[in-house]
Amino acid sequence: MFPSEVTDFFRTQKTPFYYYDLDVLNATLEEIQKHGLSKGFHVHFALKANNQPKVLKLIKEAGLGADCVSGGEVQRAIDSGFSACEIAFAGVGKSDEEIELGLKHDIFCFNCESVQELEVLNELAGMQGKTARIALRLNPNVEADTHRYITTGLNENKFGINASDLDEVLDRLPDLNNLKLIGIHFHIGSQIENFTPFEELCERANMLNEHIENRGFELSVINVGGGFGINYTHPNDNAIPDFERFFGLFESRIKLKEHQQLHFELGRSVVGQCGSLITRVLYTKYGETKNFAIVDAGMTELIRPALYQAAHRIDVLTSSKRDKNYDVVGPICESSDTFRTDISIPEVVRGDIIAIRSAGAYGEVMRSAYNLREANSSVYSDEV
Ligand code: LLP
């Protein structure tokens, strides 16, 4: 992953910064083409996972569409060359301005989550003299078996239309003349490694598909969302998620009617493994009970450990000394600013370079300016 010339280059750069290995990204995209797109599935990349223009360009060129959750993302997708007819716009709280932007560009589909949202969209579409294509985001009440902050498909979550409200929504639709229902949409959560929740999702999706079509609506889009997890523990051995198994599961379990197409919205599984956060050891502290490696990246660059107790693999790129136990921590004045606790890594000294792995998804996009921290530009493997 990091040949010596790359590590030497890192030493010359101002840290911390995100590094993207485009070979890993391209290899991942090839697998998605081979096991997903080739079956006629539509895969929209969730820009919320990563919105770097260079990353988006490769994803677009590979034939994926875009899944956006804000006006900013819709604009970024358009600026990155995605055509409007490949852009889906989801989100539980779309503002009027964001909806207007989507309408202006005639995007492929709005994934809608409530009657009130449908009414607003209908009104705004009417004002532009347009018909908005919509998919209903349905809450399938499926346990995703992941961190509770990234579980989205349970009745207690704020997302989607619950089964008990569905008929009321369907009753309202014929009056909303500026909307055209084209599909149903689900997303049960993120970083899902166990396939059982996806199997349950398929069952619920089949049932709801049947129910809505029986009510006289024609659904051409069955969108099962994203959520496919990556291996944070062994990113080298498992750089590319098992897309054959993932797409195969949906292929065998989702019952599509002849006029229907299967859509996905993948984020993490596309970009997670191609990115690393590169940081430098500032200081070491050897205490009574603990040793600390204090690095120049913090929760401002990668918030996942602080927010979801995520454990990203840590590779020391410039030391081959004997292993020692450390807490690897950042410079921010919060105890949650800790990347890993009590891990065994080669002994480090001031100046050593560390890669925090599997940070391509929900890393750079969730960066904050807390403490007025400066953001260094990202580096790509084809520039080294
Ligand atoms: N579609 C919808 C409607 C979503 O809400 C999400 C992610 C995706 C697709 C893409 O899911 P993926 O394939 O990436 O799992 N910041 C958190 C993850 C938040 C995910 C939010 N929704 C993290 O760092 O783990």
Side-chain angles (χ1 to χ4, degrees):
M1 179 84 185
F2 304 105
S4 59
E5 63 275 16
V6 173
T7 303
D8 289 345
F9 176 80
F10 288 168
R11 281 183 191 275
T12 66
Q13 296 297 295
K14 189 164 177 221
T15 47
F17 60 86
Y18 273 88
Y19 172 73
Y20 294 102
D21 187 326
L22 300 181
D23 291 338
V24 172
L25 176 57
N26 279 325
T28 308
L29 291 168
E30 272 170 31
E31 287 293 293
I32 293 173
Q33 288 173 324
K34 186 164 152 203
H35 301 294
L37 304 189
S38 69
K39 297 190 167 105
F41 299 160
H42 294 255
V43 180
H44 302 264
F45 173 65
L47 266 76
K48 65 164 81 70
N50 191 302
N51 57 37
Q52 293 293 307
K54 201 157 170 169
V55 168
L56 293 181
K57 183 167 176 282
L58 290 180
I59 292 174
K60 190 229 135 16
E61 283 169 4
L64 281 73
D67 165 44
C68 303
V69 287
S70 71
E73 286 187 0
V74 170
Q75 193 60 55
R76 174 66 59 91
I78 287 166
D79 294 345
S80 304
F82 288 93
S83 77
C85 64
E86 302 167 314
I87 298 177
F89 185 9
V92 68
K94 305 176 188 77
S95 73
D96 293 17
E97 291 74 18
E98 291 176 318
I99 292 174
E100 279 159 1
L101 179 75
L103 287 167
K104 186 179 107 190
H105 289 287
D106 253 327
I107 59 167
F108 166 61
C109 189
F110 290 84
N111 296 338
C112 298
E113 309 212 7
S114 66
V115 170
Q116 211 174 13
E117 181 190 346
L118 291 169
E119 286 169 348
V120 170
L121 178 57
N122 183 59
E123 189 185 327
L124 295 174
M127 282 159 65
Q128 290 196 21
K130 294 198 165 154
T131 302
R133 284 170 295 276
I134 61 156
L136 297 178
R137 175 166 182 180
L138 305 177
N139 187 331
N141 198 24
V142 167
E143 177 65 75
D145 193 14
T146 183
H147 191 280
R148 69 190 176 90
Y149 287 1
I150 50 178
T151 293
T152 49
L154 287 175
N155 282 343
E156 68 196 52
N157 299 130
K158 68 182 174 185
F159 303 100
I161 296 164
N162 288 331
S164 52
D165 299 327
L166 178 57
D167 281 318
E168 184 200 330
V169 174
L170 296 176
D171 289 342
R172 272 299 275 133
L173 275 180
D175 303 332
L176 303 172
N177 294 324
N178 307 314
L179 305 184
K180 178 170 169 36
L181 178 66
I182 62 163
I184 47 176
H185 169 229
F186 306 88
H187 175 74
I188 56 172
S190 198
Q191 185 51 21
I192 302 170
E193 292 176 278
N194 166 0
F195 276 43
T196 312
F198 291 129
E199 292 170 3
E200 286 172 20
L201 168 62
C202 291
E203 268 178 45
R204 294 287 296 154
N206 290 338
M207 237 178 63
L208 291 160
N209 182 7
E210 208 52 45
H211 176 76
I212 298 173
E213 288 247 335
N214 284 341
R215 290 229 15 200
F217 295 93
E218 190 175 290
L219 303 172
S220 57
V221 172
I222 309 297
N223 182 341
V224 290
F228 188 23
I230 62 169
N231 191 324
Y232 282 94
T233 319
H234 302 292
N236 294 334
D237 302 336
N238 299 279
I240 303 178
D242 188 349
F243 287 110
E244 183 172 6
R245 184 164 171 226
F246 176 76
F247 287 118
L249 182 151
F250 287 94
E251 182 182 30
S252 65
R253 289 182 183 253
I254 287 277
K255 293 189 192 123
L256 287 183
K257 299 173 195 298
E258 228 166 70
H259 57 276
Q260 297 186 325
Q261 288 178 327
L262 192 53
H263 289 241
F264 295 84
E265 297 169 345
L266 298 178
R268 188 189 319 262
S269 54
V270 184
V271 291
Q273 299 292 26
C274 75
S276 296
L277 175 58
I278 308 298
T279 180
R280 203 175 238 113
V281 176
L282 290 173
Y283 306 105
T284 49
K285 256 193 189 180
Y286 294 96
E288 301 257 315
T289 55
K290 283 220 170 235
N291 304 323
F292 293 97
I294 301 160
V295 299
D296 62 5
M299 63 197 287
T300 40
E301 283 67 45
L302 182 65
I303 200 173
R304 301 196 69 260
L307 194 53
Y308 318 108
Q309 298 74 51
H312 287 250
R313 185 187 153 95
I314 288 188
D315 286 341
V316 179
L317 304 186
T318 51
S319 166
S320 46
K321 292 196 193 116
R322 194 127 27 101
D323 280 5
K324 247 185 174 354
N325 270 27
Y326 288 96
D327 280 14
V328 179
V329 301
I332 313 292
C333 307
E334 306 224 10
S335 296
S336 59
D337 186 31
T338 297
F339 289 113
R340 291 294 297 270
T341 312
D342 209 19
I343 56 158
S344 180
I345 50 173
E347 183 179 350
V348 289
V349 295
R350 175 173 164 81
D352 270 326
I353 303 282
I354 282 179
I356 303 178
R357 303 289 304 280
S358 313
Y362 308 109
E364 197 158 16
V365 282
M366 292 181 80
R367 170 182 246 165
S368 85
Y370 185 40
N371 290 187
L372 277 185
R373 303 238 319 150
E374 223 179 282
N376 298 321
S377 323
S378 23
V379 172
Y380 295 88
S381 53
D382 64 348
E383 297 164 355
V384 176

